[in-house]
Amino acid sequence: AQKVTQAQTEISVVEKEDVTLDCVYETRDTTYYLFWYKQPPSGELVFLIRRNSFDEQNEISGRYSWNFQKSTSSFNFTITASQVVDSAVYFCALSEAGGNNRLAFGKGNQVVVIP
Amino acid sequence: NAGVTQTPKFQVLKTGQSMTLQCAQDMNHEYMSWYRQDPGMGLRLIHYSVGAGITDQGEVPNGYNVSRSTTEDFPLRLLSAAPSQTSVYFCASRKNREEVYEQYFGPGTRLTVT
C-alpha cells in the first residue's frame, strides 16, 4: 500500500532563511509519481511539481528545489531565501501507476515565515 | 478556462439532511475525484471517476454517492449528513493517460454538520 510521511508538522523560519521539507514514501510499485502541492491560508491547493519514478534528476524552479532519492525513498523540498508569501501548508503526495491512481497525501508541513 | 469549480463554498447542514456538492471542470479531463480534508489528516479520496458513466470508491466512501453523466460534472451526494462528515471537500480533475498527471483542485467546499 502506498504511504507518504511528512514528519515535521510545523516549521517556523525567519524571512530569508532556507527551509527543507522532508517527504518519505512507501510503495511496492516500480512505476509511481510524486507531487508537491501548496495550500496557502486562502485554502486552495496549488500544484508545484510532478516527478515520475524513472526521473531522479533534481529540479530547481526559482527559489524552489526538489531532491528525489529513490535509494532512501525521499522527495524533499527546499525553499531558498524564504518569504512571507511562502507561509502555507505543503503536501507531498504519491500516486502509483496501477490501481485507482489515487493520490496518497502526507499530512502536510505547516510553514510559517516570520518577517 | 475556469478550471475546476465547486459550489457552494460554505454549507451548514443538520444531522440527517441530504445535499449535493457540485463540481465542474472545463478542461476536458477524463479523471475526476473527490477528497475530504480533515485537520492533521491530509486529504483522503472519497470517490473517483475515470470517465463518463464510470465511478469507483476511494479510501473513505461510506455516506457518499457519486455519478458521472457527463465529462464536465461530478457531483457528490451526502445521503444523510452526520457530524463526522464535517470537513472541507475538494474536487479535482486530471488528464487520464498512461502517465499519472497532476490533479487540479477546485477551491473547496467547507461543510459543517450540526
Side-chain angles (χ1 to χ4, degrees):
Chain A
Q2 58 199 89
K3 183 180 174 184
V4 175
T5 301
Q6 294 178 257
Q8 312 133 300
T9 324
E10 181 168 327
I11 305 164
S12 294
V13 296
V14 176
E15 202 170 18
K16 296 184 186 171
E17 287 184 341
D18 298 348
V19 55
T20 294
L21 309 180
D22 297 330
C23 172
V24 175
Y25 62 91
E26 295 175 30
T27 177
R28 292 190 198 133
D29 272 17
T30 54
T31 302
Y32 52 89
Y33 299 81
L34 295 160
F35 304 82
W36 276 95
Y37 283 85
K38 174 182 179 180
Q39 187 175 42
S42 49
E44 73 272 23
L45 283 151
V46 178
F47 164 74
L48 296 178
I49 190 171
R50 174 183 80 125
R51 175 67 72 223
N52 74 47
S53 52
F54 298 110
D55 181 3
E56 284 194 76
Q57 256 190 328
N58 292 329
E59 181 152 341
I60 298 174
S61 176
R63 296 183 297 105
Y64 294 171
S65 62
W66 290 270
N67 183 341
F68 177 26
Q69 293 198 335
K70 283 178 79 169
S71 60
T72 55
S73 297
S74 64
F75 187 43
N76 297 339
F77 172 31
T78 297
I79 304 172
T80 303
S82 60
Q83 301 175 1
V84 172
V85 293
D86 296 326
S87 295
V89 180
Y90 293 86
F91 290 99
C92 181
L94 163 72
S95 186
E96 294 169 340
N100 62 19
N101 297 153
R102 78 172 177 96
L103 267 182
F105 282 85
K107 294 185 178 179
N109 301 122
Q110 171 83 59
V111 173
V112 178
V113 181
I114 303 163
Chain B
N1 285 355
V4 181
T5 57
Q6 290 182 239
T7 55
K9 286 191 176 174
F10 301 94
Q11 183 70 51
V12 178
L13 288 179
K14 293 193 168 135
T15 297
Q17 286 185 317
S18 62
M19 80 158 295
T20 299
L21 278 61
Q22 301 292 344
C23 173
Q25 52 89 13
D26 61 359
M27 298 175 281
N28 204 29
H29 285 170
E30 300 92 340
Y31 186 99
M32 295 185 74
S33 54
W34 277 101
Y35 291 83
R36 59 178 288 173
Q37 182 179 20
D38 302 296
M41 300 285 290
L43 281 84
R44 294 180 293 169
L45 180 67
I46 304 171
H47 284 287
Y48 69 99
S49 168
V50 298
I54 306 169
T55 64
D56 207 345
Q57 296 181 351
E59 195 181 349
V60 288
N62 292 341
Y64 308 96
N65 269 0
V66 292
S67 59
R68 183 100 179 266
S69 54
T70 67
T71 300
E72 295 79 18
D73 301 298
F74 191 43
L76 177 73
R77 278 181 286 279
L78 278 70
L79 310 170
S80 177
S84 60
Q85 293 178 304
T86 293
S87 188
V88 180
Y89 291 85
F90 288 97
C91 178
S93 75
R94 65 168 175 82
K95 291 186 284 190
N96 194 40
R97 302 282 188 271
E98 279 188 21
E99 291 191 43
V100 178
Y101 289 91
E102 60 273 15
Q103 296 198 48
Y104 292 92
F105 286 82
T109 295
R110 187 173 293 273
L111 175 68
T112 302
V113 182
T114 60

